[in-house]
Amino acid sequence: MNVLVTGGAGYIGSVTAELLLDAGHAVTVFDNLERGHRAAVDARARLIEGDLRSPQAVRAAMEAARPDAVMHFAAYALVPESMEHPERYFRNNVAGGMNLAEAMLEAGVRRIVFSSTCATYGEPERVPITEDVAQRPTNPYGESKLMFERILHWYERLHGLQPVFLRYFNACGATRKFGEDHDPETHLIPIVLQAALGRREKVFIYGDDYDTPDGTCLRDYIHIADLARAHLLALTSAHTGAFNLGNGTGYSVREVIETARRVTGRPIPAEVAARRPGDPPRLVAGAEKAGAELGWRPAFPELETIIRSAWTWHRAHPEGYGSG
Ligand code: UFG
């Protein structure tokens, strides 16, 4: 298939583009390179530089690529930033998404695989979180993703779009080519590995007084290659609607640090600090639906394998993608 990948220069988009190309699909990346990296665009892909917030740019990319389907990753994705600048999140993630959906309708493209998030559930009413758990986001980032899910839902009913919403839990790990490089970095595993590389003095553990076995927060860490494979399955599936993507196991912040110490053989100093506002104690996926309907089975569920892949990438790219 011919696939337009928005945000294909970002972390999850770059790896999904790589797997699409490996599987013989043609890929056009649409990215403004504001937070993505030119070096993260697979050499086999075509890159169109452009901004989602410009209806003209999106329409021009759709006309140039003439895709059979769209994978939509391009978005802002920092929870703390969204609490300070909600308008950025609604403009880019919602209004930008609408530009994309409208350009798809004009071009007669129906299939869209959309990067959604467990942040749409907010503080979940039960764990493991299945797709029918109430979606009550606690920040504008999660809200913006939920709003675009709802828009796509109505465009499915009224305009015949065929959307799939993939609700990611904690994406992490790397392939040999592509890994995680955000600026600023806020995610636990890259921060821990930067400490292992000596690029940070220590890791702060945000709270150790939660109601969890060791007092630190539990997250469902999912390998980026497993996430990417779910997109390929969603692309050709007859199903529409929402799928959670996680391993169904929660690891604590302390377990992540301990595992990274084992994998890297480095001490990784850590210090307990105050809770980070808005962190739910447990986010663990019930992802049976993706197994049953998409045939998705994570190939790399072990935390150690995930951290090892990230460590290999970070050692090869100690400065990330450089200046980008
Ligand atoms: N953490 C630390 N120290 C750090 C960084 C993180 O203790 O330096 C802790 C956090 O408090 C949290 C856990 O490690 O308990 C994981 O934090 P991340 O920032 O790596 O990931 P989050 O679970 O906060 O974020 C993920 C996704 C977001 C999504 C969010 C939903 O990356 O896109 O889940 O809550 F919005």
Side-chain angles (χ1 to χ4, degrees), residues 51-105:
D51 197 302
L52 206 57
R53 289 161 290 201
S54 158
Q56 296 79 8
V58 176
R59 199 177 294 125
M62 197 67 66
E63 281 165 11
R66 303 196 160 275
D68 303 304
V70 170
M71 289 193 182
H72 179 36
F73 299 92
Y76 289 146
L78 294 176
V79 171
E81 180 189 56
S82 81
M83 296 294 279
E84 261 182 69
H85 301 289
E87 62 288 347
R88 288 187 194 165
Y89 281 71
F90 296 124
R91 174 70 56 193
N92 201 22
N93 299 2
V94 183
M98 288 178 71
N99 290 338
L100 180 68
E102 282 158 28
M104 287 178 65
L105 292 174

Side-chain angles (χ1 to χ4, degrees), residues 79 119 141 170 186-188 204 206 217 219 253 276 279 283:
V79 171
Y141 165 63
N170 286 60
T186 61
H187 296 106
L188 180 63
F204 291 103
Y206 296 142
C217 288
R219 292 290 181 272
V253 175
R276 192 170 68 175
D279 270 341
L283 290 175

